[in-house]
Amino acid sequence: MGISSSHTENGIIEVTIDYPPVNAIPSRGWFELAGEITRAGEDREARVVILRAENRGFCAGVDIKEMQRSPGHEALIAANRGCAKAFAAVYDCEVPVIAAVNGFCLGGGVGLVGNADIIVASDDATFGLPEVDRGALGAATHLARLVPQHLMRTLYYTARNVSAQTLHHHGSVVEVVPRAQLDDAAREIAKEIAKKDTTVIRAAKEAINGIDTQRVHTSYRFEQGFTFELNLTGVSDGARQAFLDGNHARQANDG
């Protein structure tokens, strides 16, 4: 359980998120994820990284329970910094990163996927930012890399989800496959990249980042400033607690 990595054939490294049941990543996990991806890119034998997940969905974002049981703002600061580190690690990884997205991809999951180079998704995958319902802001920077501007705004304000098929229509998801075929689909693309001259591919990654019109690191940290401001007002704490209380009520009814 946690963050792990494994080397497969031809210089392909798979980094796996595993925080059952929904992959809500604790603060420490974001830093660990950043470290694994960074080390993978620095490995001179590596040619491509696949970011994948176990459990019910790719990522449910930050661990809200951790934040609510921690006094003060230490957990919030740690989560903010951890997310920024992990998102940046995906973007700055020295080799291409392929995100293999299963089930739901929410909040911080969108931050990871939005900074990836290539996205493959299962046919049940959905993407969304529930931030405004949690009294937070963030990852609009990354959602804007997945959908056109006005759709991004609609999804952001309403906290609606969007399907993998819709992202495929807009060109941000390259392939949608049945969940059982997701890993294989990501590996096939990885193998194609791994056949290329790794020196050229590494240069290509750096060059593409260099011509990017959006400075993703600074824009995301700008967003996070408003999250911290909302927390100082007390609005965010109430929104997070309402979310947890609603989850408890639903679990009780299901039981």
Side-chain angles (χ1 to χ4, degrees):
M1 188 178 78
I3 306 297
S4 62
S5 64
S6 60
H7 290 65
T8 64
E9 58 184 325
N10 301 323
I12 300 169
I13 298 179
E14 295 187 359
V15 177
T16 300
I17 302 169
D18 185 9
Y19 286 97
V22 296
N23 287 331
I25 303 177
S27 299
R28 185 176 66 181
W30 290 104
F31 287 101
E32 291 175 354
L33 179 56
E36 289 289 350
I37 294 172
T38 299
R39 283 189 292 274
E42 292 173 345
D43 184 342
R44 303 319 293 179
E45 299 298 318
R47 294 173 176 268
V48 61
V49 172
I50 297 175
L51 178 59
R52 61 178 301 281
E54 297 290 342
N55 306 310
R56 288 163 49 190
F58 179 78
C59 179
V62 302
D63 186 348
I64 292 179
K65 291 181 180 179
E66 176 191 47
M67 205 170 292
Q68 288 305 95
R69 64 175 174 259
S70 302
H73 298 297
E74 290 184 8
L76 171 67
I77 293 171
N80 277 4
R81 289 188 174 275
C83 284
K85 286 281 189 184
F87 300 170
V90 173
Y91 186 83
D92 293 327
C93 184
E94 295 181 29
V95 297
V97 176
I98 301 171
V101 182
N102 61 296
F104 47 80
C105 179
L106 303 173
V110 169
L112 295 170
V113 169
N115 271 358
D117 296 281
I118 297 168
I119 307 166
V120 180
S122 59
D123 55 13
D124 64 345
T126 57
F127 303 74
L129 294 179
E131 268 65 2
V132 296
D133 287 343
R134 311 286 186 268
L137 298 176
T141 291
H142 311 93
L143 184 60
R145 297 168 69 84
L146 302 177
V147 297
Q149 178 69 207
H150 284 87
L151 178 55
M152 180 274 288
R153 288 171 180 260
T154 300
L155 297 174
Y156 199 66
Y157 296 145
T158 63
R160 293 178 185 173
N161 293 338
V162 65
S163 69
Q165 290 81 1
T166 298
L167 295 193
H168 182 261
H169 169 76
H170 290 295
S172 49
V173 167
V174 68
E175 192 172 356
V176 179
V177 298
R179 183 181 286 210
Q181 299 174 20
L182 179 61
D183 284 334
D184 287 341
R187 288 165 186 157
E188 284 303 310
I189 297 174
K191 288 176 184 177
E192 188 175 349
I193 296 171
K195 293 178 182 177
K196 312 296 184 184
D197 186 307
T198 186
T199 302
V200 176
I201 290 296
R202 287 171 181 266
K205 175 66 183 276
E206 187 174 357
I208 289 173
N209 282 2
I211 65 171
D212 208 335
T213 56
Q214 174 75 306
R215 298 183 63 189
V216 295
H217 303 338
T218 53
S219 60
Y220 177 59
R221 290 297 277 170
F222 176 81
E223 290 184 71
Q224 286 187 323
F226 290 96
T227 293
F228 197 75
E229 184 177 299
L230 288 169
N231 273 270
L232 292 178
T233 68
V235 170
S236 300
D237 183 67
R240 287 193 298 268
Q241 193 58 52
F243 168 71
L244 293 177
D245 291 344
N247 271 355
H248 292 154
R250 283 189 291 273
Q251 290 170 4
N253 289 335
D254 291 342

